[in-house]
Every structure is written in C-alpha cells, then in structure tokens.
Amino acid sequence: MQIHLRSVVLPVLALISFSSQAAESLNNEQKLGEHLFKDANLSLNRNQSCATCHSLNPANGSAPSPGFVDPDNVNTFYWNKKEGLYMGGQFWNGRARGLKEQAQEPFLNPREMAMLGISAVAGRIKEGGKYHQLFWDAYKVNLDNIQDESFPDNGKKPADDEKIFALAARAIAEFEKTTVFNKFNSKFDYVLAGKTTFTAKEEEGLRLFNGKAQCSACHISETTHFKSEGAHNKKGKIMPPLFTDFTYDNIGLPRNAAIPDDPDRGLGGRADIAAMDPDGNELGKHKVMTLRNIALTPPYGHNGVLVSLKQVVHFYNTRDALGELFTDNTDTINFGITGWPLPEIQQNVNVDELGDLKLTSEEEDAIVAFMETLTDDYPIWGNDPNVPMNSPPPFSISP
C-alpha cells in the first residue's frame, strides 16, 4: 500500500484525549511535563498554556488528535544530498531541531505565552508549589532554598534559571512522546491491521489518494522504515504510516487577508537558509505535515487560508484550472468557486503534483472521506462492531 500527499494542516497537536489510565502510566519526568504543559501560570498574563492551543480534552465529544514524532526525521533538520532538499525539523520552517528545542519557543514568543525571558519562566516555575517536588522526583534537582518535610535537604545549591528552563523543555518533550499523543488507533490503522474495512466511498478515496490525485507523493501511507530494519522493527512489529515525508514544499497557497503580516517566506525566510540560498530556491516552502487527525485541525495551510478539507482538496484539484481571482479569501462568494488568488509566494510553486488534477466533485468528496479515517480513537467514535469500545491499538509500537 502506498499513500503520500502534501499536507496543508496547521502544525498543531490539536485535541488530545487524556485518560486517568494514561496519566497513571507516566513516569516522573513525563508527569512533570504534563504539569508544565497544562500550566497557564507560565504565560505573562497567566492565561495561556501549551494545552490552551493543544488541548488535552476532546471538544464537543469529538475524537482527539495527537502530534506525531519520527525518530529519524523530526529530531534533525538537515540537507538530504540524495534527494537534493531539506528534511526534518519542527515548526513550519524547521527552525527547531527537536521537541525540546521546540518546547522552549512558545514561552518566550510575544505572540504566544509572552514571558520576558528565561529567568521569568524559571521564576514562575519556582512559584508553583508542586514543582518543588516534581523537579526533585524527575531530576533530583533543587528549585530553590525552600525546604519542607517532603523535600530532602541534600546540601546541593538550587539549580540556576537556565538549567530549570532547559529541564522544563525536556520534560514537556518527553510528555509529548507518550501514547497520550501517539495513539495509532484510527480507522485506517484498524483496516491496515485487518480488523475492519473501509466503506465503498472511503475505499474509492484511498484509490484516488494513491493514484489520480497524486496525494501519495509526499504523505506516505506505506508502512514506514524503522531505522535499517525495513517496515518492521527487531521484534517484527509493523510501524504504521506517518503520512508525511518530512520535506518542504510551496503548494501555492494564496495569502490570508486576515493576517496583517508580510507574506510568510517559509523555509527561505530563515536567515541561515537564505544565506546559503542566494537564488531563493527555498522561498515559500513549508513543512509537509502529517495528515493524521487532519479532520480535526481546521483551518488549513501554513496561514490558515483554507477552511475545510473539501476546500483543501478542491484547491489541490483546481488551483491552476479554475482561473485567477483578483480579490482575496474574504470574498467568500468567489474564493475557490470562480477562481483562486495568486500564490502568496510565487517562486518555487509545485506545478507537478497539484493544480489541475481533473477530479470530479464526487471524487474530491471521496478523498475527504478517506482522510477522515485518519482520526484517532476510532473505537470511541466509529460505532463499529468489529472495533468495540476499549479495543487496544492494533499496533504495539509507535514512532
């Protein structure tokens, strides 16, 4: 089976279910990470946490959505000489080399948690009564000189702010690697394992995904290689598809008029990449994100200009065939209906795998139906007698 495709989903962890059973399985480092992940006091106005945007609770009873991590690609941003392109990294432009580095940025980003520096974050952590014990349990680290009966007086000096900040990011990263986020229990996974079957519409969507729609160019649907062991690890366990090849691409998205900033130059907008790329060959390229749980993460694209999966597929299908629209996405009568605005960044647009796919409206709907099978917690939302409630994930490992 082969399934690729260029992702236009926002790089979010989205909605994540978090059961008490999962909480009980966390080790001390992961428990610290969970507490940090949910703590709104670690923002300037004490009103935003990681979980504010990447919720740990399902909304309106819907299924949750995790974030996925690949050990070979995400942890390292690098130039692939064989393929002649950049791969890996965190964020749309790959600027963070791993989950730990990624976890540090929102605390200090003025548009997110807006803390004024590392010492400010460490100070808020020292304020929290639970952190004193949590840091000791996880790392045997003193936060400050305050002693109580439950905390051992080992004579060590308290950790400095830089160490506290670094360990906090590390704990969040370890929490994000747990099965709280990485479930691999979508309908697709149960079908792949032979536990259930697709509907006729979903099956047609998969066929189109792999064929006429050319989705399988970048959103890999085949079982993923585990290091050098092929599609199985040393114990012979299958690694389910991640639906991304971890590369970067300019799919020609138009600008989102609701965002006042200059056009997002993506990978080519990074100073380090631009210095090595005087011809601008990386301008407009954004990371190919996983399609898992894509149905739960609208709006879509690096700038959120597309509002539904149907609109996403229609854009891929008709970007170059529908005609040019001289207004923008606020023109809801014409946007994506009578035409599309020009790309936000007109260099390096992918014209080989999208733009004029000649799909019918019914075929677009079938592709959407297939992508909806990539939503986790299928035993909860699927109402499938072949996969009853509390069914274990069909695969015993996750990336």
Side-chain angles (χ1 to χ4, degrees), residues 106-350:
F107 291 116
L108 307 179
N109 189 325
R111 297 186 178 184
E112 295 185 83
M113 298 167 79
M115 295 296 282
L116 300 179
I118 289 175
S119 293
V121 178
R124 291 286 179 87
I125 290 174
K126 292 175 185 178
E127 289 178 7
K130 288 187 176 181
Y131 286 126
H132 193 68
Q133 190 66 48
L134 286 169
F135 268 82
W136 176 258
D137 292 341
Y139 299 121
K140 297 297 185 284
V141 163
N142 277 347
L143 286 186
D144 51 38
N145 289 317
I146 299 173
Q147 303 294 331
D148 56 41
E149 294 180 358
S150 65
F151 188 84
D153 183 1
N154 62 358
K156 292 183 178 180
K157 293 182 179 180
D160 59 32
D161 292 348
E162 288 76 13
K163 182 174 182 178
I164 292 170
F165 184 73
L167 289 176
R170 171 178 161 178
I172 292 172
E174 291 304 310
F175 175 55
E176 290 176 343
K177 294 177 184 178
T178 67
T179 54
V180 174
F181 294 82
N182 301 283
K183 294 186 175 182
F184 292 89
N185 64 349
S186 69
K187 181 175 185 179
F188 172 86
D189 294 307
Y190 287 101
V191 172
L192 187 64
K195 303 292 186 181
T196 192
T197 58
F198 287 131
T199 66
K201 188 174 184 179
E202 293 164 351
E203 185 71 38
E204 171 70 358
L206 172 58
R207 186 185 67 80
L208 292 163
F209 191 88
N210 289 331
K212 182 178 178 180
Q214 301 188 64
C215 305
S216 57
C218 302
H219 298 273
I220 311 300
S221 67
E222 58 191 357
T223 51
T224 308
H225 285 226
F226 188 81
K227 296 183 179 179
S228 61
E229 300 294 330
H232 297 71
N233 68 5
K234 293 180 180 179
K235 296 181 180 180
K237 301 297 177 66
I238 193 171
M239 176 174 282
L242 302 181
F243 289 92
T244 175
D245 63 1
F246 300 96
T247 61
Y248 294 77
D249 193 22
N250 182 1
I251 62 171
L253 283 175
R255 187 172 181 178
N256 187 346
I259 300 177
D261 296 339
D262 292 334
D264 191 335
R265 296 180 294 164
L267 194 60
R270 289 173 43 175
D272 57 337
I273 300 296
M276 297 183 291
D277 179 35
D279 295 329
N281 294 319
E282 306 301 327
L283 285 169
K285 294 184 179 181
H286 296 271
K287 189 178 178 183
V288 176
M289 297 293 177
T290 177
L291 294 188
R292 285 182 174 270
N293 295 287
I294 191 173
L296 303 179
T297 58
Y300 300 103
H302 68 273
N303 58 7
V305 71
L306 303 175
V307 299
S308 69
L309 278 183
K310 172 68 173 182
Q311 194 174 56
V312 168
V313 177
H314 190 57
F315 174 78
Y316 273 69
N317 183 28
T318 66
R319 183 197 65 196
D320 302 334
L322 198 57
E324 183 178 346
L325 184 66
F326 294 97
T327 54
D328 54 41
N329 60 309
T330 61
D331 181 2
T332 55
I333 295 176
N334 295 295
F335 181 76
I337 299 171
T338 64
W340 296 103
L342 292 174
E344 181 178 45
I345 300 294
Q346 296 184 39
Q347 292 174 249
N348 312 311
V349 174
N350 184 336

